[in-house]
Amino acid sequence: MSILWVVTVISAFLDTIPLCIALTKVIAVISARLSLPLPPLAWALAFAACLGQNATIVGSANNVVAVTLCERSGYAISTWQWLKIGIPVVLITQVVITMYMY
């Protein structure tokens, strides 16, 4: 399940859609070369890409919009404030998904 954790870290900093498009070929090759079933690898990629983006502000355009709207309303959210909540949430969800995948 290293795909799950590696992609989670990457998706915290890169946009999810291009990341998934790029890594779809990678997991297909891994599946073929190691004779692993493709569906669990695809699910790991999907879970990791979707949940990992919650760790940082730049992980998702939605996060950027939310922070911008909060700032306009007088409630500034710093990167550190976001990380204090985002990283634990991502870690908890990834542990749950890891247990589910096994």
Side-chain angles (χ1 to χ4, degrees), residues 2-97:
S2 60
I3 289 174
L4 185 68
W5 288 89
V6 170
V7 173
T8 297
V9 172
I10 295 170
S11 74
F13 301 100
L14 297 178
D15 191 26
T16 304
I17 294 172
L19 178 65
C20 286
I21 290 170
L23 292 180
T24 299
K25 294 277 188 190
V26 173
I27 64 167
V29 169
I30 290 171
S31 173
R33 289 200 180 165
L34 299 178
S35 299
L36 296 171
L38 184 58
L41 298 176
W43 277 111
L45 174 61
F47 283 135
C50 289
L51 298 174
Q53 66 186 351
N54 296 320
T56 63
I57 294 172
V58 297
S60 169
N62 297 334
N63 299 349
V64 174
V65 170
V67 168
T68 302
L69 291 175
C70 286
E71 286 177 357
R72 286 183 187 169
S73 298
Y75 302 102
I77 300 174
S78 72
T79 300
W80 295 115
Q81 288 173 313
W82 187 282
L83 292 174
K84 282 193 262 183
I85 295 171
I87 289 175
V89 166
V90 169
L91 290 176
I92 290 167
T93 56
Q94 291 306 90
V95 167
V96 170
I97 294 301

